[in-house]
Amino acid sequence: MTDGQNILGGRILVVAFEGWNDAGEAASGAVKTLKEQLDVVPIAEVDPELYFDFQFNRPVVTDDDGRRRLIWPSAVVYGPSLPGHIGEDLAGDAELTVTGDNAGNIFLLLGTEPSRSWRSFTAEIMDVALAADIGAVVFLGAMLADVPHTRPISVFASSENAAVRAELGVERSSYEGPVGILSALAEGAEDVGIPTIMIWASVPHYVHNAPSPKAVLALIDKLEELVDVTIPRGTLVDEAAAWESGIDALAADDEEMASYIQQLEQARDTVDSPEASGEAIAQEFERYLRRRGDGRDGGRDGGTAGRGPDDPRRG
């Protein structure tokens, strides 16, 4: 049971979108893991014609029992098939089902980030949330950052809601600038009285082309810490280890990459050391920026290095 049990003890909507907010497919991967483990069914789906530019988010064709069909970009809300039902304890291998007092209260929103009409999209999702009596919304995101793959994935949480900040001990974001759909939905939820929290994982920018199961695990760990559930990891632990080993092998054949990763490790270890003061951390970060010197952009899609568009640390 967490300190946030009062706020996160009722019906919770966990949200992730593929696209700008989803480095390494970590956020969408975490919600897909929940979808696979939870006993949920679709309860609402937006009309793709209203919110997507099909030249930007193209439909894909697939084979369905010998017939080729198009799958259109969309966003779907899933709800528990038995709302409020408390599942049985996990088996010893912890690979059977999601359990905990809140297991029957978790709703999911998963889809592609819409390319237009965000305010209408937000209003439609808020109508669904209110009809489902959602008590809190947890947004998952992932950003590309100057972080080493060899260290634990950094996860940061923030909230615009004072009660959430007080109970969970998180900060308010000070970022000002372009945002993704998560920020639009978060503002919409707060406007209708539903408290929200953002959880972001930092994904090493130098492996941005590959999914990051290690970041998926980090988001699931944080979600499990905040919400009273036990979430089976399945094969994610093995996949995360293989992901890290694969990058190690690439770095072993690339002296420049290995040297850069070592710099990131040193910077991370300095920040994480018990004796590190705020001033020492700031000085180390300044030295690190001077060492880079070449103006390389470690951020995402031309963004600020190490800061995603909705990153709670960015300011």
Side-chain angles (χ1 to χ4, degrees):
M1 197 67 71
T2 70
D3 291 338
Q5 59 180 307
N6 294 329
I7 290 176
L8 298 180
R11 293 189 172 188
I12 301 164
L13 178 62
V14 183
V15 178
F17 286 88
E18 299 170 348
W20 206 40
N21 308 289
D22 194 29
E25 301 176 17
S28 62
V31 173
K32 286 176 182 176
T33 298
L34 283 172
K35 179 175 172 287
E36 292 170 358
Q37 301 292 348
L38 288 167
D39 184 13
V40 294
V41 294
I43 61 173
E45 181 174 3
V46 301
D47 182 352
E49 294 284 342
L50 300 177
Y51 304 116
F52 295 95
D53 180 344
F54 298 137
Q55 288 186 321
F56 182 72
N57 298 118
R58 292 183 180 272
V60 297
V61 65
T62 186
D63 187 274
D64 182 12
D65 291 331
R67 180 177 177 181
R68 292 168 66 80
R69 294 183 179 275
L70 293 180
I71 299 177
W72 299 88
S74 189
V76 181
V77 179
Y78 300 88
S81 61
L82 297 173
H85 175 70
I86 300 176
E88 297 178 359
D89 291 338
L90 288 174
D93 59 5
E95 295 179 356
L96 296 182
T97 185
V98 175
T99 60
D101 290 345
N102 247 7
N105 287 325
I106 296 179
F107 292 69
L108 307 174
L109 170 55
L110 179 64
T112 303
E113 183 178 53
S115 47
R116 59 174 175 245
S117 302
W118 280 15
R119 287 181 291 184
S120 296
F121 180 88
T122 296
E124 183 170 342
I125 296 300
M126 290 307 107
D127 285 344
V128 174
L130 291 171
D133 196 25
I134 297 298
V137 184
V138 179
F139 296 96
L140 303 184
M143 59 188 172
L144 295 178
D146 293 332
V147 294
H149 72 282
T150 53
R151 299 295 187 265
I153 295 291
S154 297
V155 177
F156 302 91
S158 68
S159 178
E160 288 297 303
N161 188 286
V164 173
R165 295 198 301 271
E167 289 205 15
L168 300 181
V170 299
E171 298 180 358
R172 183 183 184 188
S173 173
S174 61
Y175 169 64
E176 296 182 359
V179 298
I181 189 62
L182 299 186
S183 289
L185 288 170
E187 182 179 84
E190 293 288 348
D191 285 347
V192 297
I194 303 176
T196 64
I197 184 170
M198 292 263 191
I199 303 175
W200 283 86
S202 297
V203 178
H205 73 88
Y206 51 88
V207 288
H208 67 278
N209 289 326
S212 176
K214 189 172 181 178
V216 174
L217 270 177
L219 286 171
I220 288 177
D221 287 345
K222 188 63 175 180
L223 184 63
E224 189 178 76
E225 175 188 328
L226 296 175
V227 182
D228 185 24
V229 293
T230 299
I231 305 169
R233 305 310 195 262
T235 61
L236 272 175
V237 174
D238 292 338
E239 292 172 4
W243 175 83
E244 187 168 333
S245 297
I247 302 171
D248 288 341
L250 289 174
D253 294 330
D254 187 331
E255 184 176 343
E256 183 178 352
M257 181 180 181
S259 176
Y260 175 64
I261 292 173
Q262 186 177 26
Q263 291 179 21
L264 294 178
E265 290 173 338
Q266 292 172 349
R268 173 66 180 272
D269 293 344
T270 298
V271 171
D272 289 345
S273 64
E275 65 274 11
S277 66
E279 183 178 358
I281 293 172
Q283 291 175 350
E284 173 60 28
F285 184 63
E286 290 173 0
R287 284 196 295 270
Y288 165 66
L289 292 177
R290 286 195 295 270
R291 284 199 303 270
R292 285 175 56 181
D294 59 1
R296 183 193 56 76
D297 180 9
R300 187 176 189 193
D301 297 332
T304 302
R307 298 290 186 266
D310 297 306
D311 176 13
R313 300 169 300 149
R314 186 174 178 180

